[in-house]
Amino acid sequence: MKILVLSTLYPNAVQRRHGIFIEHRVAHLAAAGGDSVRVVAPVPWFPFTSRRFGAWGEHARVPHKAERRGFPVVHPRYPTIPKVGMTPAPLLMAAALAAPIAAIRRDFDFDVIDSYYLYPDGVAAALLGRMFDSPVVMSALGTDVSLIPQSRLPRAMILKAIERAAAVTTVCGALRDGLIGLGADPRKLTVVEHGVDLDLFRPPADRAALRAAMGVDGPTLLSVGHLIDRKGHDHAIRALARLPGVRLMIAGDGPRDAALRALAKAQGVDDRVRFLGHVDQHRLPDLYGVADATLSCSDREGIANVLLESLACGTPLVATPVWGSPEVIRVAEAGLLVAERSDDAIAQGTAALLANLPDRAATRAYGERYDWAETGRQHRALLVEAVAGYRPRSARARATIEV
C-alpha cells in the first residue's frame, strides 16, 4: 500500500519526543507489509522563531521538510485563530493541507489516509478524504476522547468524522467505551494497543553496577513526562514528602519546572529530588533500570508510553486509575493501581509496593506482551480492510448509472 499519515503530533527536529509513539507505530505498520509511507505533520503558523515565544516559537522553528526513519515528512503550516476556540480548527487545517497533499499525490497516489488524534486531525482527515476520494482510518489517543468532546461542536464533528471513516482505532478499551458513550457506532471501533521497543527498553545487564555508576542508592522512584500539570509530577513530590528515606528522579522539561522545584523545596524534599531535564529516549532505559518503581500520576491518558517502557525494563508501576492505566496494571507483576489521584493514595500505594516489590524478571515478562510489531500488524490489517472495502466516487457513479 501507499499510506499517507496525517498527525499534528508527529515528532520533529524541534519537538523531539512530540508523539514519538506515533512514529514507532507507523514504522512498524509499514514494516509489516513493506508499505510506502509519506507523512504530513502540520504545525500552527507563527511568524517569529524567538524562544521567548515558548511553544509558538517552537512551531515556527520546525523545518518545512525532513526525513525520519526513511519516510519523507512535510510540516505544512495551518492558521489558528487565538481566542476563538477550537471550533474552526479542522476546517482551517483541511484548507491549509489541500495544496500540499495535492502536490504529494502527483507522485505518490496514496491508497489511504491514516490519521492520529481525532480533533482537529481526524476531522480534517475526514474532510480531506472526501476531497481526495480516499478512505480514512483514524486513531483516538486520549484527550481527543476524554476532554475535547466536552465541547458540543467539536463532539459533533468528531462523531461525524467517525461516521465517515472506514475504521477508528483506540489505544485502550476505556477510550472505545468513551466513544460509544458519546454516540459512536461500535462497529467502527477497534482497540489496537500501543507497543514498546522491547530491544531498546530492557532490564540492565548489571543493575547494581548501573545504580552505583549513576549514584543511585536506597529506594528510588522515577517520574517521566513533560513538566505540565496534567502529568502530576506535583503529586509525586508531595507523595515523596510522606515517604521518608525514598528518593525521586523527574525526567522531563516544560513550563512547570520552576514551580515544581519550588514545591520540592517547600515540601522539604529538594535534597531527595533530582530534576534531570529533557532525557533522550536512548537514555531512558537506564533510568527505568535503576529505579525501584515508576510513578504515573496523570489525570488523563490513553495508554501512556511511560507505563509500557517501565514494564519492559522490569520496573513496576504505581499509577493513578485513569483511562488505559487499569488495563495495563491488572496483575501484581505490573505494580499497583492506586484508588484515587491524591497525594495520600499515591504515597500509600508507593509504600505498599516498595514493601513487596515483584520480581523484575516477571515484570519484564509481562511487559513483553506490548510489542510494536504486533501493534503494526493489527493496525495494518485495518488499513488493508479500509482500502479493500472502499469504492471511489467514480466507481459509485458508474454503479448508479448501471442501476
Side-chain angles (χ1 to χ4, degrees):
M1 289 185 296
K2 293 182 178 179
I3 304 167
L4 184 74
V5 170
L6 183 131
S7 181
T8 56
L9 299 181
Y10 212 82
N12 57 63
V14 178
Q15 298 155 319
R16 292 165 288 180
R17 282 188 59 81
H18 187 58
I20 197 166
F21 56 89
I22 298 175
E23 184 176 55
H24 291 324
R25 187 161 175 146
V26 168
H28 283 86
L29 80 85
D35 302 310
S36 300
V37 172
R38 297 282 182 91
V39 179
V40 177
V43 297
W45 177 84
F46 191 72
F48 307 114
T49 60
S50 172
R51 283 176 167 76
R52 65 178 178 150
F53 293 107
W56 288 100
E58 284 187 355
H59 295 321
R61 295 195 299 275
V62 173
H64 287 265
K65 292 183 178 181
E67 184 172 299
R68 295 182 63 94
R69 299 185 71 154
F71 303 143
V73 182
V74 295
H75 295 287
R77 270 50 178 177
Y78 68 96
T80 58
I81 305 176
K83 299 184 179 180
V84 170
M86 301 183 295
T87 303
L91 185 58
L92 292 172
M93 182 183 291
L97 297 186
I101 291 177
I104 289 172
R105 191 156 210 179
R106 283 195 283 272
D107 65 355
F108 186 77
D109 191 14
F110 52 86
D111 299 299
V112 61
I113 298 176
D114 187 23
S115 173
Y116 295 84
Y117 207 63
L118 297 184
Y119 194 94
D121 312 47
V123 176
L127 295 171
L128 291 162
R130 289 171 64 86
M131 187 181 304
F132 289 98
D133 199 12
S134 171
V136 173
V137 172
M138 308 189 312
S139 291
L141 305 176
T143 53
D144 47 352
V145 178
S146 64
L147 180 64
I148 292 173
Q150 293 176 15
S151 299
R152 181 178 60 85
L153 289 176
R155 178 173 65 249
M157 286 188 274
I158 287 172
L159 291 175
K160 187 64 176 177
I162 291 173
E163 183 183 316
R164 291 174 173 171
V168 177
T169 80
T170 67
V171 296
C172 63
L175 292 179
R176 182 180 186 275
D177 294 343
L179 286 174
I180 292 171
L182 293 173
D185 184 348
R187 295 171 297 180
K188 288 286 185 78
L189 311 176
T190 302
V191 177
V192 179
E193 294 175 328
H194 277 333
V196 64
D197 185 337
L198 294 172
D199 292 325
L200 174 62
F201 291 96
R202 60 188 311 111
D206 187 335
R207 184 167 181 261
L210 182 61
R211 280 170 65 90
M214 295 180 65
V216 175
D217 61 350
T220 301
L221 309 173
L222 175 65
S223 184
V224 179
H226 199 44
L227 303 188
I228 54 177
D229 288 338
R230 180 164 63 87
K231 294 297 183 181
H233 298 294
D234 56 326
H235 286 287
I237 291 170
R238 286 192 293 268
L240 185 72
R242 296 157 168 81
L243 298 166
V246 178
R247 299 182 182 277
L248 172 67
M249 301 182 294
I250 298 178
D253 56 9
R256 297 292 292 167
D257 183 279
L260 290 169
R261 291 175 186 271
L263 175 63
K265 187 171 184 178
Q267 291 285 316
V269 296
D270 51 317
D271 61 332
R272 292 194 281 135
V273 181
R274 290 170 63 180
F275 288 90
L276 304 175
H278 170 79
V279 177
D280 288 332
Q281 191 179 39
H282 72 275
R283 291 178 51 220
L284 282 174
D286 284 350
L287 294 179
Y288 290 118
V290 300
D292 294 288
T294 299
L295 303 185
S296 178
C297 305
S298 297
D299 64 354
R300 54 183 183 270
E301 296 280 3
I303 287 185
N305 298 337
V306 170
L307 303 182
L308 309 187
E309 292 169 357
S310 184
L311 294 175
C313 292
T315 305
L317 302 157
V318 176
T320 46
V322 295
W323 294 92
S325 295
E327 298 173 38
V328 174
I329 306 174
R330 53 190 177 188
V331 297
E333 292 79 7
L336 192 146
L337 196 72
V338 301
E340 61 182 16
R341 189 178 188 249
S342 70
D343 304 335
D344 283 338
I346 294 166
Q348 291 168 12
T350 303
L353 182 66
L354 291 175
N356 187 27
L357 287 166
D359 178 73
R360 296 181 72 92
T363 300
R364 162 68 185 195
Y366 175 76
E368 288 175 353
R369 69 186 297 274
Y370 297 100
D371 184 352
W372 272 126
E374 180 58 26
T375 298
R377 286 190 289 270
Q378 291 179 19
H379 192 102
R380 184 180 185 274
L382 290 173
L383 296 181
V384 170
E385 187 176 338
V387 172
Y390 188 75
R391 284 202 304 163
R393 274 196 298 269
S394 57
R396 295 197 293 271
R398 285 197 302 273
T400 302
I401 294 170
E402 289 169 2
V403 170

